[in-house]
Structure formats: C-alpha cells, structure tokens
Amino acid sequence: MTTFITRFDTAGSGTRLAVKDLIDMEGELTTAGCRAVAQRAAPAGRDAACLAGARAAGARIVGRTNLHELALGVTGINPWYGTPVNPLDPARVPGGSSSGSAVAVATGEADVAYGSDTGGSIRIPSACCGTAGLKTTWGRISSEGVWPLAPSFDTVGPMARDVGGLVRGMELLEPGFAVAETTGVAIGRLRPPADPLIDAAVDRALHEAEWPVLELVAPGWDRATADTALLLVAEAWESNRALVEQSPEGIGTGVRERLRSGATFDPAAVSAAWSGQGAWTAALGDLLEQVDFVVTPTLSVFPPLLAEGSELLVGRCTLPVNLAGFPALSLPLRTAGPLPASIQLIGPPHSEERLLAAGAWLESAVA
C-alpha cells in the first residue's frame, strides 16, 4: 500500500482523516517520507498543533500518508516508500508533495486529508488526481509540530474530493470556521502559458458560473515564480542541512542534490529575491483590489507520465501564490481531453471563507 506509510484500524462515525507523514502525531514516528528521518526518529511526544481540532471533533485518523521525500518535489515519486498510484491513470504521476493525501481522498479511503503546501504541494497533487485542495493563508494554521521545509512559505491545509470536504477539513483545522456569503463575484483572469485544452476548460467553467471576468496582466508573475523557487530551496537547505551532512545515504539522489544546490546560490541573488517579495505581494494585492479572485489553471500541463514528471516544473502556476502568502483553492474541471484540468482561485489574505463559498458555486455550475 503506497498511499499510506502507516495505516490505523478505526471504528466509529467521525470524519475519516488522513494525515501527511510530516505532521507529528503523539506516539507515532514522523518520517517525512525519508529513510534518513525515519532511522533517527523517535515517537512524537505530542500532536502537532493542527491536529487539536480533529481530536476534539472525534475525527478517525485512518493513516499517515506518503509524500514526495521531505516534501521537496512535485511528482510524488518516493524511492523509500513507493509512489502512490494516480487513480486517474496509474502510468502518470500523482503529484507532490502531498501525493498520498490526494490519492487517499480520490480513492475514498479518507473523507479529508491534511497536506502541506510550500510551493504548490496541496494544489499540484489535487490537480493530478482530480480532487480539491486549499492552500491556506500563510500563518493562519499553525505549523508547530510539522516537519519544516521552507518556513517562510510552509502552510497546512485540507484536501478532499469536493468543496464540501474542504469545508469539513477547515472546520477540523480551525474550529468555528464557517463559509461566508459570497455574491456578485468578479474574476480577474491571468493567462500563464498553458495547454489549450486546460485554458479552454478554465474559460468554460467561468462562463458556466456566470461570473464577470476581467482580463488581467501580472508583469511580475514570472519573476515571482523564479524568486520563490530560489528562496524555497535556499530555506530547504537550511532546514535539512544537518540531515544531508550526517545521513546523505538516507536521502534520495534527486532530493539530496536539490537540497545541496541551495547551499550554492549567490547570496546577492537570494537577497534580491527576498527584496522582490514585498513588491510582488503588493502587486498581487493590487490585482485583488480590482476583482474578488484571480484565476489561473492550477497546472499548465496535464499530469505527465511517471518517467516525465519533471514536466510539472514547466509553467508553474502555484509558486507566486506562496511568495505572497495568499490563499488559493484548486478544483477539478472536465476537459475535451481524457483527463481533467484544475482551476486555481486566488484570494486576498484570510479569504478562505469566501473562496470556499465561491468554490461551491463553481462546483455546482460545472456539474
């Protein structure tokens, strides 16, 4: 079973919850999908803070889900624990890094799953597996007790088959959460280069939702993508440096090499990337002064074959959202091709209540 690293027998009527195996659970090992981590891990002394609501609500934790090693990767391929099988097409990547969480909800093994998103790690596997995912506002959900990748960008959020499952996930993560009334939504459409079938699916969905659409341009999008990619790996090196230096053989070659690259970046380039964060956050905020939500595809390509997973790095639509720290919702859409596409709705900080209301409307419109 490659979806889960650890399975639990559960009984009862509570929500079935799958937890990404970089979130501490009292009495359990946290592996972060990495042999080097697993070999030195001791059972967690207490739950991660983000589990408190689920415990109080009586959620049934069905297992700890597999992931792209150390959460540093977009394919979901894992050399130590196997690769979760994409239920849409077993020959294709499940997406990463929250691969097991996406597969667990797609196959009905969990009602809700928790994932983490540093550069797209909730939204990308959701897009690959035809499910829904919510990247939360940076800092809204505590990351205490969650294995760090790049703390300036790390977020925890829910994954589910549909918007109703995401709402339930937010209720568990944040007791008292309630969807807001949302009417008269205006959409700003950004068009990073994408497969024409994907772009057409996004446009058709917006038309079916009967939302007014304003075509927007974000000149800083490509720079924000590059800056986030640089900063994410630089921080990932700092987070995992000791692991690489002390147990390199316990880290897969690809992840190990990517981590080490973070030590080689020109300090001036890193400083310049940090300097651009404020300007980009302001620029995206300015766009969201004109409209309620900004829309792009979640992925610019369809899920690639397992041997061609690096294609996911082309035309990335998710990274700029993490640089700003804003929330974003990903939902599946039908296409004229054999696989679904995914739409990404980006909102201003702490707009999750409105994002999910808009997502519910869109979901019903395209059904």
Side-chain angles (χ1 to χ4, degrees), residues 125-150:
S126 296
C128 287
C129 294
T131 55
L134 178 65
K135 178 228 174 287
T136 55
T137 303
W138 183 81
R140 176 162 183 164
I141 306 299
S142 174
S143 60
E144 178 189 350
V146 180
W147 184 271
L149 178 62

Side-chain angles (χ1 to χ4, degrees), residues 72 118-119 149-154 223-239 258-259 261-263 265-278 280 319 322-324:
L72 185 60
T118 303
L149 178 62
S152 297
F153 309 112
D154 293 345
R223 176 178 173 180
T225 300
D227 284 350
T228 316
L230 177 73
L231 296 172
L232 191 159
V233 176
E235 281 207 348
W237 166 247
E238 294 302 326
S239 296
R258 193 173 180 203
L259 285 170
S261 74
F265 294 150
D266 180 358
V270 175
S271 178
W274 280 123
S275 296
Q277 184 185 37
W280 169 246
L319 282 167
N322 293 81
L323 187 63

Side-chain angles (χ1 to χ4, degrees), residues 183-265:
T183 57
V185 169
I187 297 298
R189 178 74 158 94
L190 291 180
R191 295 185 180 274
D195 185 296
L197 289 176
I198 293 175
D199 256 346
V202 171
D203 290 336
R204 182 171 57 249
L206 295 176
H207 175 75
E208 290 174 346
E210 300 182 338
W211 286 336
V213 177
L214 176 66
E215 295 288 334
L216 297 177
V217 176
W221 188 270
D222 288 342
R223 176 178 173 180
T225 300
D227 284 350
T228 316
L230 177 73
L231 296 172
L232 191 159
V233 176
E235 281 207 348
W237 166 247
E238 294 302 326
S239 296
N240 294 281
R241 179 174 186 166
L243 199 65
V244 175
E245 293 175 343
Q246 297 168 19
S247 304
E249 72 289 343
I251 304 173
T253 303
V255 170
R256 185 176 68 245
E257 290 178 353
R258 193 173 180 203
L259 285 170
R260 282 178 168 160
S261 74
T264 67
F265 294 150

Side-chain angles (χ1 to χ4, degrees), residues 22-24 30 48-50 116 142-149 154-156:
L22 46 62
I23 298 172
D24 284 350
T30 298
C50 63
S116 66
S142 174
S143 60
E144 178 189 350
V146 180
W147 184 271
L149 178 62
D154 293 345
T155 60
V156 173

